[in-house]
Structure formats: structure tokens, C-alpha cells
Amino acid sequence: MFYAGCDVGSLTAEAVIMEDGRLRSWAILPVGARTEDSAYSVMRQALKEAGLTMEGLASVCATGYGRKNIPFAQFNVSEISCHGMGAHWCDPSIRAVIDVGGQDCKAICLDSQGRAVDFVMNDKCAAGTGRSLEILARAINLGLEDLGPVSLKSRHPVRITNRCSIFMELEVLQHYYGGRKIRDIALGINHAVAKRVAFLAQGLDMTPGFALTGGVSKNAGVAKSLEKALGVRFRPLKVDPQLMGALGAAVHAGVKAGVKDS
């Protein structure tokens, strides 16, 4: 039996297709102007990879900001529940998930079944999100994908003290025009964003067994800085961490369809 999860966020859309408890295919695409179009595009790509059509899916669960506007989904589940369930599917020993997405960041505590039992979320300020990193990287003429690798070459990061994303950008520009090395500014950016996320996560009583999910998890500089700020080690996930929301949604779809060990 085939079933799927679709996660439409603020910057990217993801789709995961599973078959009887196994990962069959997946896709990640930038979001467009309309949630519905983004959902159809990413699901079509995942279906093509699996050699399936929409009619071949027994159940589809939607998640993310656009979850209520995905017409082909039979039901929707919050991204908090889906990120937790996706990480749990990858590693049942995970008890805490930190998700850093395009427009928000979350810290989630899980029980032994992968269910969210507590969480905190920051969705009122761009600082500590993928969007913030994108803006700050652009300020020093780096692509978002280059920020992590460049920062890892630094041994003398600049200090960025502002917590507001607008003032962080001004501070970054001061360092840039002041002649500081790009790699040192890049590491300073990653440290600053990691500190914002760590401050949020420290509001929870988290049990060891940590995972980092979301697109920002691919930035090795942020991941390393966040581990240091929290005093933890993130466990590697066997699936792209950016897919955790869609993966968790697919697991929920499997449960809805009656698949054992989905």
C-alpha cells in the first residue's frame, strides 16, 4: 500500500511517498505564489520518482503553513507533530527535536511513541530562521548554501550582538565594510542565529536524544554552533532532515490507512 505526506512551508515544499513502512520516493522544491500549485508540483515529482499516479495513493496527509489548502490531502496534521513523528521514524530514541525552518523555529519534546508532549515556537521574528540567514548571507555576497562551508574556515568569528534581524543585518554590513574577512562574518552570523535558537530551546526541559531538522540543519556552521550553545550532540538522521515534516505526515497517512509499522 502506498501513502504520502506533503509539507508546504514558507520557502520550500516537500513530498514523501511510503510503501508499507518503507520510504519509496521524495521531492523538495521552492514554493511558488500559490500553495496549491506548489503542493501539486512537488507531489507530481515524488509520484514520478515512484512510478505512481495520485490514484495509487491510499492516503495523503498535509502539513506545514499551507496544510489547509492542499486539495488532494484527505486530512492535515500540525508541523510540530509531523516533525516529531518524522524524526522518531528515523530514530526511535530521539526525544527532542529542534526544527529551524524558513520563517520559524521550534523545539519539541517527544515521548517514546514520537508524539509531541511539549513545544515552544518562535514565529514572530525572523531572527533564528532560514529567512534571516538568507538575508544576512546576501549582505556579504554569499549564497545561502555557501554560508556554512565558508564559515567553517574561520577561527576568528565576528561578534554580532543584536537580536533583531534588521539590526543584525546593519551590524553585519558594518563588519563587511570595515574590512573583516568574509569567513569570519559568516561564522559570526551562524553563531548569532544559533544563539537565538538555543535561547528558545532552553525554555523546555528536554531529554537527551536530540535531532536537528529543517532546511537550516544543512548549514554545518549553524549545527555546530547550536550543539556548542546547547551542550548536546545531534544524532544523524537516515533521511534528509529537510524532509522530516513530509515524512512525519506520511507516517500519519499510513496510520490512517491502517498500515502496521508505517
Side-chain angles (χ1 to χ4, degrees):
M1 185 184 295
F2 297 98
Y3 44 95
C6 187
D7 179 4
V8 180
S10 57
L11 297 180
T12 61
E14 295 84 29
V16 165
I17 295 175
M18 300 184 76
E19 179 186 9
D20 298 326
R22 300 185 302 275
L23 191 62
R24 182 65 182 266
S25 68
W26 64 89
I28 302 174
L29 293 175
V31 297
R34 297 179 68 241
T35 295
E36 183 177 335
D37 293 340
S38 299
Y40 272 116
S41 294
V42 75
M43 185 58 73
R44 285 193 199 102
Q45 184 167 322
L47 287 166
K48 183 179 179 181
E49 292 291 330
L52 297 170
T53 62
M54 198 76 77
E55 291 70 27
L57 299 175
S59 178
V60 180
C61 174
T63 192
Y65 280 133
R67 66 183 181 273
K68 295 182 180 179
N69 298 309
I70 298 178
F72 54 79
Q74 284 78 49
F75 67 108
N76 67 79
V77 176
S78 77
E79 57 266 37
I80 291 165
S81 293
C82 287
H83 275 270
M85 189 59 71
H88 173 77
W89 185 88
C90 289
D91 182 348
S93 69
I94 288 172
R95 294 292 180 271
V97 174
I98 296 174
D99 172 58
V100 188
Q103 298 282 19
D104 65 33
C105 56
K106 317 170 194 72
I108 310 163
C109 293
L110 306 178
D111 66 12
S112 61
Q113 302 301 310
R115 295 172 298 210
V117 294
D118 199 5
F119 74 93
V120 289
M121 179 176 179
N122 173 31
D123 60 356
K124 299 184 184 303
C125 176
T129 66
R131 179 58 177 160
S132 175
L133 283 170
E134 184 178 25
I135 292 169
L136 297 175
R138 190 186 306 141
I140 56 174
N141 294 318
L142 283 181
L144 183 58
E145 69 281 359
D146 298 320
L147 193 62
V150 169
S151 72
L152 294 179
K153 299 175 183 177
S154 171
R155 294 293 179 271
H156 305 286
V158 302
R159 187 163 179 263
I160 297 172
T161 58
N162 281 291
R163 292 188 171 186
C164 169
S165 58
I166 295 172
F167 291 113
M168 284 171 71
E169 183 180 8
L170 292 174
E171 197 170 353
V172 164
L173 288 171
Q174 287 178 342
H175 288 302
Y176 180 70
Y177 290 116
R180 294 298 300 267
K181 293 178 179 178
I182 297 296
R183 61 177 180 264
D184 295 338
I185 303 175
L187 187 55
I189 290 170
N190 288 336
H191 279 345
V193 169
K195 285 179 182 178
R196 290 283 293 170
V197 177
F199 180 78
L200 176 79
Q202 286 164 348
L204 285 182
D205 182 16
M206 295 183 291
T207 301
F210 290 82
L212 181 61
T213 69
V216 174
S217 65
K218 295 181 177 180
N219 181 322
V222 170
K224 189 174 180 181
S225 295
L226 190 51
E227 284 184 326
K228 184 176 180 181
L230 290 173
V232 304
R233 287 283 185 182
F234 293 121
R235 297 185 178 178
L237 299 173
K238 61 183 180 180
V239 178
D240 185 332
Q242 195 169 355
L243 290 170
M244 285 303 108
L247 176 60
V251 172
H252 282 295
V255 172
K256 194 82 166 180
V259 178
K260 292 184 179 180
D261 299 323
S262 59

